């Protein structure tokens, strides 16, 4: 059974959505560097204070901070899904020295669809469930179906920040597609399909690895 998975893809490709589904179905832990950083910002820790400016602009937090943050959270004996890490070749090389992953799933999505999805994303403040006002809206406006928590729009889901995040993805993160292809660990999935179909494709990719 494959158990060390990283999800690649542009902002808004559905990494968080799919990681939550995969983790729940397969008993794997879900490690999202974006979620960890947002918690650090909310708790006003030293790391949160250092990271906030980068995140607000849609730039990447420096590699050294991220690598230190992720060390110790990866358990050799348990399965995990990495969501948003690695994000640069430097991070991927550092990861290889800590632990070897089994497969990298690349969820592809166009720039136009990234902007459409992220402009309409809402997230539950309490349980983190992800919604979309166009594709997956809550039953009651502003209220989480799962826990009744308040839904909010992420600070970095403003149009100009989304555009910068996408450009940063192309420059810094897209090279990881070749990085994992060269290691025969890459599987490509079409992220433009409905959530359930993307999920099925990911499961098929995992089975064929
Ligand atoms: P992070 O939180 O990782 O953001 P991201 O990579 O930009 O990804 P998102 O969370 O925006 O999107 P997603 O792919 O998870 O999509 P989702 O499932 O939500 O990082 C934020 C910031 O933290 C970075 O900018 C950076 O500053 C910093 N950071 C984090 N990690 C870092 C690292 N390793 N190194 C350096 N800095 C780091 O889906 C999006 C929307 O689409 C939702 O509304 C969802 O409901 C909807 N949706 C999902 N799938 C579908 C579908 N199939 N059809 C229709 N709608 C769908």
């Amino acid at each position: 059974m494959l158990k060390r998975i990283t999800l690649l893809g542009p902002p808004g490709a559905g990494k968080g959505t799919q990681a939550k589904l995969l983790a729940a179905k397969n008993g794997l832990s879900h490690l999202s560097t974006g979620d960890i950083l947002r918690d650090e910002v909310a708790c006003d820790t030293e790391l949160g204070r250092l990271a906030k400016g980068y995140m607000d602009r849609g730039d990447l937090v420096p590699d050294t901070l991220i690598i230190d943050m992720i060390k110790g959270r990866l358990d050799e004996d348990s399965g995990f899904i990495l969501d948003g890490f690695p994000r640069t070749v430097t991070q991927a090389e550092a990861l290889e020295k800590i632990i070897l992953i089994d497969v990298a799933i690349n969820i592809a999505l166009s720039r136009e669809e990234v902007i459409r999805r992220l402009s309409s994303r809402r997230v539950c403040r309490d349980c983190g469930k992800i919604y979309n006002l166009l594709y997956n809206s809550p039953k009651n406006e502003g209220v989480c179906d799962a826990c009744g928590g308040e839904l909010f729009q992420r600070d970095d889901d403003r149009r100009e920040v989304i555009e910068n995040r996408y450009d940063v993805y192309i420059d810094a993160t897209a090279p990881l597609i070749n990085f994992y292809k060269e290691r025969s660990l890459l599987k490509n999935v079409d992220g433009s399909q409905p959530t359930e179909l993307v999920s099925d494709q990911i499961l098929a990719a995992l089975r064929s690895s």
Side-chain angles (χ1 to χ4, degrees):
M1 160 66 183
L2 292 162
K3 52 181 193 168
R4 295 177 197 143
I5 301 161
T6 184
L7 297 183
L8 304 176
K15 301 180 295 295
T17 301
Q18 295 298 334
K20 284 183 203 314
L21 290 170
L22 258 184
K25 278 186 197 156
N26 297 284
L28 302 171
S29 54
H30 171 199
L31 207 58
S32 156
T33 42
D35 286 349
I36 298 169
L37 288 167
R38 278 182 288 279
D39 283 347
E40 297 280 342
V41 171
C43 296
D44 197 27
T45 63
E46 190 186 348
L47 172 58
R49 285 193 292 276
L50 287 169
K52 187 173 185 319
Y54 296 98
M55 296 172 76
D56 287 348
R57 290 189 299 275
D59 290 333
L60 292 182
V61 175
D63 288 332
T64 48
L65 293 178
I66 298 291
I67 293 162
D68 285 347
M69 179 181 93
I70 206 88
K71 274 183 196 158
R73 293 178 192 258
L74 296 174
D75 179 358
E76 183 82 32
D77 297 324
S78 71
F80 55 75
I81 302 159
L82 299 175
D83 159 12
F85 179 84
R87 206 64 159 242
T88 62
V89 170
T90 302
Q91 291 181 19
E93 288 169 345
L95 174 62
E96 277 185 329
K97 293 191 182 122
I98 304 170
I99 207 162
L100 292 175
I101 61 151
D102 298 313
V103 61
I105 305 270
N106 176 43
I107 308 178
L109 198 66
S110 69
R111 188 177 194 274
E112 295 68 35
E113 187 60 14
V114 163
I115 293 170
R116 193 193 335 268
R117 284 193 192 172
L118 290 184
S119 308
S120 51
R121 172 167 60 184
R122 297 293 181 273
V123 184
C124 175
R125 223 177 261 293
D126 294 338
C127 72
K129 190 169 163 59
I130 303 166
Y131 293 88
N132 193 283
L133 300 183
L134 300 175
Y135 302 107
N136 167 32
S137 58
K139 290 193 186 80
N140 298 309
E141 199 186 321
V143 181
C144 177
D145 296 345
C147 76
E150 179 200 2
L151 302 187
F152 76 103
Q153 183 166 28
R154 272 172 45 176
D155 289 342
D156 59 353
D157 279 350
R158 285 175 290 120
R159 170 93 190 208
E160 66 276 18
V161 184
I162 296 169
E163 287 179 348
N164 186 43
R165 284 162 64 200
Y166 188 83
D167 292 343
V168 168
Y169 163 78
I170 294 294
D171 286 348
T173 308
L176 289 179
I177 295 171
N178 265 337
F179 180 94
Y180 284 113
K181 197 172 177 186
E182 282 165 11
R183 285 156 178 75
S184 303
L185 293 175
L186 187 77
K187 295 282 176 183
N188 287 300
V189 165
D190 174 6
S192 70
Q193 309 165 96
T195 300
E196 300 70 30
L197 293 186
V198 177
S199 207
D200 289 347
Q201 265 206 10
I202 291 177
L203 288 174
L206 292 178
R207 274 188 222 109
S208 71
S209 294

